[in-house]
Amino acid sequence: MRESWQERFAETPDVLKSAGRERTLVPVRDFAVGGREFVMMAGPCSVETEAQVMATAEHVRRAGARILRGGAFKPRSSPYSFQGHGLEGLKLLARARAATGLAVVTEVMSEDDVPLVAEYADILQIGSRNMENYALLEAAAKSGRPILLKRGMVATIADLMRSAQVVLEFGNPNVILCERGIRSFETALRNTFDVAAIALLKQISHLPVIADPSHAAGTSELVPALARIGVAAGADGLLVEVHPEPEKAWSDGEQSLNFAQFDGMMQGLEPLAAVMGRTMMAAEPVLEAVG
Ligand code: PEP
Ligand code: MN
């Protein structure tokens, strides 16, 4: 007889579903990730300028996003690439949140930066390159902020679950798992989108699972299709890169959607979400200034 998932993943018991623990709702400001409502997280790869962040935040909010993404501390493959604006970037994200009501998710790369990033962000993103940085996982867990844990590019599903277990062990129950594509022998696209990981994690874990079709595809042309596949695999939300002028982006421009492409993708997702028994989380109404 085949071993059960419980036996197979016995190392990470707290990540697995159990009696009375079927699903975790991760609270973010006035809503939750992991419930019936599908959550869209969108924004630029990097925070570049105030105009860029504000325009993107306004646009994605109107199109139905609830969470603004954007890197202030950027893990770049080359030391000569833009490394992010740091604190100034965090301040721009906070300004966009104040203007739009969107929650903010942003990456933290070092345990020394956790207190600062936790002061500005609603969700701390642990990037693929840091998925197994246990000192960072510990510091991030102890901040009390929800954690968006991205799968490492050469990490197995068990490895991802082990990192989630570390966060849970440090007393933080609010972990969102993210499939963003893995390395394989295939090189036509930036990464290989492991949709089976989404389906499996949804089946065996109580934690919310989201998909990042942008880093999986590496090219904007494929992002809407991979987004639909992510929804169909059972994801609880998506993390998508959007830029007002992708051709001028300081990072990941090739995979960033422009505003029209984002709108098109969103329209295509709604009926699919319904088929999956989900509703798209309604945009947060913004109170217009009076007088
Ligand atoms: C990002 O979200 O911009 C990013 C750097 O992602 P990853 O860690 O998945 O490469
Ligand atoms: Mn990116």
Side-chain angles (χ1 to χ4, degrees):
M1 204 181 79
R2 196 181 63 78
E3 65 180 341
S4 69
W5 297 117
Q6 305 292 331
E7 288 162 340
R8 176 97 181 239
F9 296 107
E11 258 193 320
T12 54
D14 300 338
V15 177
L16 295 170
K17 283 181 185 170
S18 59
R21 198 178 49 188
E22 280 295 309
R23 71 166 40 173
T24 288
L25 296 180
V26 172
V28 181
R29 292 171 75 79
D30 60 345
F31 60 96
V33 180
R36 196 171 164 273
E37 290 186 302
F38 190 87
V39 185
M40 182 60 58
M41 314 181 184
C45 178
S46 305
V47 173
E48 298 169 7
T49 64
E50 177 159 14
Q52 172 238 20
V53 179
M54 289 301 194
T56 309
E58 278 296 346
H59 188 88
V60 300
R61 182 189 70 77
R62 284 208 195 93
R66 291 303 300 271
I67 301 179
L68 174 66
R69 63 145 291 144
F73 294 92
K74 292 304 300 177
R76 303 308 303 282
S77 301
S78 161
Y80 308 110
S81 300
F82 175 56
Q83 307 291 317
H85 287 309
L87 175 59
E88 287 313 307
L90 297 175
K91 288 182 176 167
L92 289 178
L93 289 169
R95 213 170 295 162
R97 171 176 51 211
T100 60
L102 291 171
V104 165
V105 60
T106 194
E107 179 161 355
V108 58
M109 289 176 55
S110 127
E111 61 263 37
D112 298 337
D113 295 333
V114 166
L116 181 70
V117 180
E119 195 182 318
Y120 287 90
D122 298 294
I123 303 173
L124 300 183
Q125 177 172 324
I126 303 293
S128 293
R129 291 159 193 78
N130 269 319
M131 189 204 80
E132 290 185 320
N133 180 341
Y134 284 8
L136 176 60
L137 291 176
E138 177 178 353
K142 288 179 173 170
S143 76
R145 289 288 187 200
I147 306 295
L148 171 53
L149 182 62
K150 296 191 90 174
R151 182 178 179 184
M153 39 191 116
V154 290
T156 64
I157 295 169
D159 294 334
L160 174 63
M161 291 170 68
R162 203 173 302 114
S163 291
Q165 177 78 26
V166 169
V167 176
L168 299 177
E169 273 287 330
F170 282 111
N172 188 333
N174 297 316
V175 180
I176 302 166
L177 304 172
C178 179
E179 163 60 35
R180 47 76 77 202
I182 52 174
R183 287 267 163 88
S184 74
F185 61 81
E186 176 56 67
T187 54
L189 297 174
R190 183 172 181 183
N191 288 296
T192 297
F193 189 30
D194 185 6
V195 284
I198 300 171
L200 178 61
L201 287 166
K202 282 305 298 175
Q203 191 170 314
I204 64 177
S205 175
H206 57 92
L207 296 173
V209 180
I210 66 160
D212 172 350
S214 306
H215 290 85
T219 173
S220 56
E221 265 175 85
L222 267 293
V223 170
L226 298 198
R228 292 193 293 274
I229 294 164
V231 175
D236 296 297
L238 293 173
L239 181 70
V240 176
E241 289 185 337
V242 179
H243 193 286
E245 294 176 289
E247 55 295 344
K248 295 191 184 154
W250 299 4
S251 62
D252 285 349
E254 294 115 86
Q255 68 195 35
S256 299
L257 301 180
N258 64 29
F259 293 169
Q261 289 167 328
F262 184 68
D263 294 350
M265 183 195 78
M266 290 297 280
Q267 279 160 19
L269 291 180
E270 194 144 358
L272 196 52
V275 168
M276 295 301 294
R278 321 291 292 244
T279 48
M280 299 298 282
M281 200 178 275
E284 163 89 346
V286 168
L287 297 173
E288 300 297 339
V290 180

